[in-house]
């Protein structure tokens, strides 16, 4: 297919994805009663208003508290768009106002309200919050795809041909600069990656397997590029990934400006947001005074009663005219402040979709850096590329893929990222980082063999690091023949395996007892319990709560799905594979990248429980079990 045909196909797949996403939203939110939505965790109702206040960037904020279903799992998280509503009016259409979640802590939620004022019904009671469908992201991705398809005789058209057309055999000769990566900070493979980036005229790729210091390498490359180009655009698919980069760049003494709604930014990165920087600008006092005067005039004009004469009418008209002029002055001053801040930034940082922010309209960049590109949808990657002359991707296509709701769209190619397409087409432009600083050598060995051509090297600082000298780095407990059959939750259709969960928790308890709970606490040994299925997460959390041995260590233990652990690490990782059935079906465990992520979170010890009779039907797991048997990391459940 020609590049334009490929983009047309991607556009169609994005439509499928939008429909699937909207349908899920309809099924979960629009088609359900208030009681069902509350039970499903897509609505909090009723809620109590704790306080309202003016937050970052002069925005109106509220803090609310859930008053029932207190331990109910829910879909709310920071950055999501929500509808705050009341049922008090008795009307069929509930009154509502949209907002964005700043944070959710236990049964409390902070929301930044859209608009300048609190709704007048806020004290009427019967308040609630619904999750909303995110329409804006799809609009921006569709707009970007259309722009790329239409591009002719410009840099965007060239980048389209380079990334989607036939492989370019002769790239223009690379730029030669004097910059050299910081020798003390980087190892040899990291230095080679930075050098390739500095001299790449069009595109380059950092392939960063787990624990290899991808962020450190990327930050060094950004720093050297800024020396040459003065300013760069830095993007990633998620707010968390952007915030991490903002923090790392700021630690290097760079002026990083974070574009995006303050509600979507971590507290550490808040001071780097455009809203906060505007409020700290030397001309902000003038801006605030103009706005206050404007509000006073508007308020005074609104005070006039309906029955008034010509003089009063004229007074009101003059006040409104003056308020309009003040607003125009305030807008001009704000425009000046924002441009002043952006012009003086070293790195402008945003999510991929956030790079379409109105404040960046018309701005062009020589280079855009896209981190976590292995998890970024292709249509989203084109958004910052509209503003850029060249692109540097960083990620790992052997870890988690993008989250896609439409199975059909995923199968037809939406799951394949621009990063993956590019790295396959231009292996000579990719640099794989080879030294990992996280795992014991044995934990690293199988992922290195299966995913990374045996090229990973364990750094001396972690190579032989064990929990205790007598502890093995890996244990696999095989439940084959035990009759631990998986079950399916009838409501969520998620899988679980109660006996396997109980066995795993017993093994963790034994490990804690062998080390001693007080030593575990003193040394702050961290433990992650990972399973691919949310229904199994619920079973494991329950067993953990009723365990007298594990409950005192709750601050050091995290139980979650694989996706929640991406980018994290723990001293000990315990994995429950769940699948155990007569048909040897492994379901979505067949996406072996998930298992790669799960295994490579472990630093000193990896524990796994699974049914080899089911798992080994898949070649990846057959090879994994053979590796475990060869290295004597394998046990039968009968022997533990």
């Amino acid at each position: 297919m020609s590049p334009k045909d490929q983009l047309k196909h991607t556009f169609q797949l994005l439509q499928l994805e939008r429909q699937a996403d909207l349908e899920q939203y309809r099924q979960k939110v629009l088609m359900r009663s208030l009681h069902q939505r509350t039970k499903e965790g897509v609505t909090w109702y009723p809620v109590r208003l704790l306080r309202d206040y003016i937050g970052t960037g002069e925005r109106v904020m509220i803090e609310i508290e859930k008053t029932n279903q207190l331990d109910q799992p829910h879909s709310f998280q920071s950055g999501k768009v929500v509808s705050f509503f009341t049922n008090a009016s008795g009307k069929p259409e509930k009154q509502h106002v949209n907002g964005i979640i700043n944070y959710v802590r236990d049964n409390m939620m902070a929301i930044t309200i859209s608009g300048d004022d609190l709704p007048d019904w806020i004290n009427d009671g019967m308040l609630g919050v619904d999750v909303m469908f995110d329409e804006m992201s799809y609009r921006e991705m569709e707009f970007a795809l259309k722009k790329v398809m239409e591009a002719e005789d410009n840099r965007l058209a060239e980048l389209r041909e380079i990334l989607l057309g036939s492989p370019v055999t002769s790239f223009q000769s690379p730029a030669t600069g004097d910059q050299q990566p910081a020798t003390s900070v980087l190892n040899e493979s990291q230095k080679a990656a930075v050098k390739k980036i500095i001299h790449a005229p069009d595109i380059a790729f950092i392939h960063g397997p787990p624990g290899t210091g991808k962020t450190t390498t990327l930050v060094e490359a950004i720093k050297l590029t800024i020396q040459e180009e003065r300013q760069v655009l830095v993007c990633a698919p998620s707010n968390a990934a952007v915030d991490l980069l903002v923090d790392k760049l700021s630690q290097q003494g760079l002026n990083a400006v974070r574009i995006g709604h303050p509600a979507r930014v971590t507290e550490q990165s808040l001071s780097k947001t455009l809203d906060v920087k505007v409020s700290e600008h030397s001309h902000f006092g003038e801006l605030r005074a103009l706005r206050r005067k404007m509000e006073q005039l508007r308020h005074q004009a609104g005070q006039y009663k309906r029955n008034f004469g010509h003089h009063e009418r004229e007074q009101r008209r003059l006040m409104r005219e003056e308020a309009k002029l003040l607003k125009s002055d305030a807008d001009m001053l704000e425009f000046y402040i924002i441009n002043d801040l952006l012009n003086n930034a070293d790195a402008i940082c945003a999510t991929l979709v956030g790079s379409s922010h109105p404040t960046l309209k018309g701005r062009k960049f020589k280079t855009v850096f896209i981190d976590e590109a292995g998890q970024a949808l292709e249509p989203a990657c084109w958004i910052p590329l509209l503003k850029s002359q060249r692109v540097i991707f960083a990620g790992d296509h052997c870890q988690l893929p993008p989250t896609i709701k439409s199975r059909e769209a995923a199968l037809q190619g939406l799951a394949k990222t621009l990063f993956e397409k590019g790295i396959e087409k231009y292996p000579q432009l990719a640099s794989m980082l080879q030294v990992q600083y996280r795992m014991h050598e044995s934990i690293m060995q199988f992922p290195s063999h299966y995913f990374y051509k045996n090229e990973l090297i364990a750094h001396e600082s972690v190579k032989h690091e064990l929990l205790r000298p007598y502890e093995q780095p890996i244990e696999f407990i095989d439940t084959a023949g035990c009759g631990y059959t998986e079950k399916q939750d009838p409501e969520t259709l998620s899988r679980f395996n109660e006996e396997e969960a109980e066995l795993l928790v017993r093994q963790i308890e034994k490990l804690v007892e062998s080390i001693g709970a007080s030593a575990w606490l003193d040394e702050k040994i961290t433990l992650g319990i990972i399973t691919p299925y949310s229904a199994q997460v619920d079973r494991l959390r329950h067993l953990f709560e009723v365990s007298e041995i594990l409950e005192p260590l709750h601050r050091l233990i995290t139980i979650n799905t694989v996706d929640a652990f991406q980018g994290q690490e723990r001293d000990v990782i315990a994995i429950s594979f769940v699948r155990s059935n007569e048909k040897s079906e492994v379901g979505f465990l067949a996406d072996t990248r998930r298992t790669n992520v799960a295994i490579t979170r472990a630093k000193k010890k990896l524990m796994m429980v699974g049914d080899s009779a089911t798992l080994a039907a898949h070649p990846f797991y057959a090879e994994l079990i053979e590796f475990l048997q060869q290295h004597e990391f394998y046990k039968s459940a009968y022997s533990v």
Side-chain angles (χ1 to χ4, degrees):
M1 273 199 287
S2 73
K4 286 188 180 181
D5 287 340
Q6 286 179 55
L7 288 160
K8 249 180 229 163
H9 179 63
T10 303
F11 191 90
Q12 287 159 0
L13 298 184
L14 190 62
Q15 300 293 311
L16 285 178
E17 175 64 4
R18 183 191 209 149
Q19 285 160 16
D21 200 357
L22 186 56
E23 186 52 34
Q24 274 193 28
Y25 174 73
R26 274 167 45 77
Q27 296 290 343
K28 272 187 163 182
V29 180
L30 302 181
M31 312 284 283
R32 302 283 175 104
S33 68
L34 183 58
H35 175 71
Q36 285 173 315
R37 296 200 311 270
T38 308
K39 203 176 160 201
E40 285 275 316
V42 292
T43 297
W44 279 16
Y45 183 85
V47 298
R48 189 154 53 100
L49 181 69
L50 297 176
R51 65 183 183 124
D52 60 82
Y53 55 101
I54 300 297
T56 309
E58 306 284 293
R59 295 171 193 259
V60 179
M61 294 187 64
I62 57 167
E63 218 169 70
I64 56 166
E65 183 179 42
K66 186 160 55 160
T67 56
N68 70 354
Q69 307 272 354
L70 298 185
D71 298 318
Q72 174 74 31
H74 58 77
S75 306
F76 294 93
Q77 61 192 57
S78 63
K80 280 207 170 182
V81 181
V82 291
S83 169
F84 177 56
F85 66 85
T86 178
N87 274 339
S89 67
K91 294 173 189 167
E93 286 92 43
K94 60 189 180 194
Q95 291 173 288
H96 70 96
V97 62
N98 288 355
I100 293 176
I101 300 174
N102 283 57
Y103 61 81
V104 182
R105 289 185 196 135
D106 300 323
N107 294 305
M108 268 173 52
M109 191 190 298
I111 302 168
T112 303
I113 294 294
S114 301
D116 300 329
D117 297 305
L118 285 167
D120 48 18
W121 45 258
I122 197 158
N123 295 313
D124 294 354
M126 297 175 77
L127 302 171
V129 187
D130 281 330
V131 168
M132 291 284 284
F133 179 67
D134 182 14
E135 184 74 34
M136 194 269 283
S137 297
Y138 287 103
R139 274 206 310 270
E140 294 299 345
M141 287 191 278
E142 285 168 9
F143 176 79
L145 286 173
K146 282 177 185 167
K147 280 282 180 203
V148 183
M149 282 189 261
E150 291 163 6
E152 293 294 342
D153 303 322
N154 59 14
R155 185 57 177 157
L156 184 60
E158 286 173 14
L159 286 172
R160 178 188 68 211
E161 297 306 311
I162 289 167
L163 284 161
L164 299 178
S166 305
V168 178
T169 47
S170 59
F171 282 90
Q172 55 192 82
S173 55
T176 51
D178 298 327
Q179 316 102 309
Q180 287 297 325
T183 45
S184 56
V185 183
L186 306 181
N187 62 46
E188 288 310 311
S189 68
Q190 291 172 327
K191 278 188 225 165
V194 171
K195 223 168 181 181
K196 201 169 264 189
I197 287 165
I198 292 167
H199 300 318
D202 302 292
I203 55 170
F205 305 87
I206 299 178
H207 181 195
T212 53
K214 171 176 64 69
T215 306
T216 305
T217 310
L218 189 61
V219 166
E220 185 63 26
I222 292 169
K223 199 164 89 175
L224 291 174
T225 306
I226 289 166
Q227 285 174 20
E228 188 77 8
E229 299 173 9
R230 217 200 61 67
Q231 189 178 75
V232 296
L233 179 60
V234 178
C235 295
S238 69
N239 285 293
V242 178
D243 288 339
L244 176 66
L245 283 167
V246 168
D247 292 345
K248 298 285 184 193
L249 291 167
S250 302
Q251 284 164 21
Q252 293 289 319
L254 294 167
N255 178 12
V257 175
R258 172 73 157 94
I259 303 293
H261 199 295
R264 294 192 163 108
V265 177
T266 60
E267 282 176 42
Q268 300 94 293
S269 301
L270 206 54
S271 62
K272 320 293 187 309
T273 58
L274 192 57
D275 286 66
V276 169
K277 284 182 180 279
V278 165
S279 69
E280 291 168 351
H281 194 275
S282 56
H283 289 289
F284 182 69
E286 292 169 54
L287 179 63
R288 191 176 232 175
L290 282 169
R291 280 180 177 159
R292 278 202 179 131
K293 198 168 177 197
M294 176 185 81
E295 284 304 319
Q296 280 169 356
L297 284 164
R298 271 186 183 164
H299 183 68
Q300 283 173 325
Q303 292 294 300
Y304 283 101
K305 301 286 177 270
R306 279 184 186 171
N307 303 318
F308 55 87
H310 172 74
H311 177 69
E312 286 86 357
R313 191 176 286 115
E314 187 60 18
Q315 277 290 96
R316 185 171 75 166
R317 188 186 68 77
L318 290 170
M319 278 182 184
R320 285 190 168 156
E321 279 296 314
E322 196 180 341
K324 209 180 271 184
L325 289 169
L326 285 170
K327 184 183 184 311
S328 175
D329 289 348
D331 289 348
M332 283 291 288
L333 183 55
E334 187 176 39
F335 180 75
Y336 163 75
I337 291 171
I338 286 169
N339 274 297
D340 186 44
L341 290 165
L342 293 179
N343 290 340
N344 288 299
D346 296 320
I348 293 176
C349 308
T351 60
L352 295 165
V353 172
S355 67
S356 65
H357 197 278
T359 53
L360 298 182
K361 198 174 179 185
R363 282 189 177 263
K364 293 286 180 193
F365 301 87
K366 172 88 193 302
T367 304
V368 58
F369 289 86
I370 299 179
D371 193 15
E372 299 296 357
Q375 282 190 279
L377 280 177
E378 180 185 327
C381 284
W382 286 111
I383 299 171
L385 276 165
L386 299 179
K387 302 177 185 303
S388 311
Q389 298 294 302
R390 72 173 192 141
V391 57
I392 310 301
F393 295 97
D396 181 8
H397 51 299
C398 303
Q399 292 188 64
L400 289 180
T403 304
I404 294 176
K405 305 265 172 55
S406 164
R407 185 173 156 74
E408 194 184 338
L411 291 171
Q412 286 190 46
L414 193 61
K416 191 156 189 179
T417 61
L418 211 46
F419 176 77
E420 199 176 345
K421 289 177 184 178
I423 216 166
E424 279 175 14
K425 191 178 286 187
Y426 302 112
Q428 76 277 22
L429 301 178
S431 303
M432 191 179 98
L433 308 180
Q434 291 172 319
V435 182
Q436 65 83 15
Y437 299 84
R438 177 182 295 162
M439 293 161 265
H440 185 282
E441 194 171 34
S442 298
I443 299 171
M444 173 199 82
Q445 207 173 338
F446 184 75
S448 176
H449 156 71
Y450 198 91
F451 294 101
Y452 307 109
K453 302 177 191 164
N454 282 321
E455 287 179 14
L456 287 190
I457 301 157
H459 189 262
E460 285 301 320
S461 60
V462 296
K463 196 173 185 175
H464 306 298
E465 276 288 292
L466 292 164
L467 268 183
R468 291 291 183 269
Y470 57 81
E471 277 295 337
Q472 280 190 306
I474 306 178
E475 277 177 47
F476 177 84
I477 298 160
D478 188 0
T479 64
C482 294
Y484 293 0
T485 308
E486 66 185 69
K487 295 183 180 74
Q488 193 170 26
D489 185 304
E491 276 191 32
T492 64
L493 305 181
S494 183
R495 312 259 166 184
F496 63 95
N497 191 323
E498 278 171 6
E499 293 95 339
E500 185 177 293
E502 285 164 11
L503 174 63
L504 184 61
V505 169
R506 278 200 306 275
Q507 291 307 115
I508 294 168
E509 286 174 338
K510 280 185 193 173
L511 177 66
V512 170
E513 284 181 318
S514 74
I515 286 171
S518 57
W520 194 285
L521 282 166
D522 291 345
E523 293 172 39
K524 294 187 171 62
I525 298 169
T526 54
L527 166 69
I529 304 174
I530 302 181
T531 181
Y533 295 95
S534 55
Q536 187 77 337
V537 170
D538 296 340
R539 301 299 181 288
L540 287 160
R541 281 182 180 160
H542 172 70
L543 291 169
F544 161 77
E545 282 163 14
V546 297
S547 166
E548 288 178 17
I549 298 164
L550 299 182
E551 212 286 321
L553 312 176
H554 68 94
R555 283 198 185 91
L556 297 165
I557 299 176
T558 316
I559 306 169
N560 221 320
T561 57
V562 185
D563 299 51
F565 274 93
Q566 171 88 334
Q568 299 185 43
E569 59 185 29
R570 297 291 187 273
D571 295 313
V572 183
I573 286 289
I575 302 170
S576 166
F577 285 114
V578 178
R579 300 309 296 251
S580 179
N581 54 71
E582 286 176 6
K583 293 178 182 172
S584 297
E585 288 175 349
V586 296
F588 83 138
L589 284 183
D591 187 345
T592 55
R593 292 174 291 186
R594 278 200 151 69
T595 306
N596 181 34
V597 171
I599 289 172
T600 54
R601 302 307 96 199
K603 290 162 76 175
K604 300 174 184 176
K605 187 171 183 72
L606 172 66
M607 302 169 76
M608 296 178 278
V609 178
D611 176 1
S612 68
T614 297
L615 295 174
H618 189 284
F620 169 83
Y621 296 99
E623 211 172 316
L624 173 62
I625 289 159
E626 193 183 329
F627 164 82
L628 295 163
Q629 286 171 331
Q630 281 172 0
H631 292 80
E632 298 181 354
F633 297 142
Y634 171 95
K635 293 175 187 171
S636 166
Y638 291 110
S639 65
V640 296

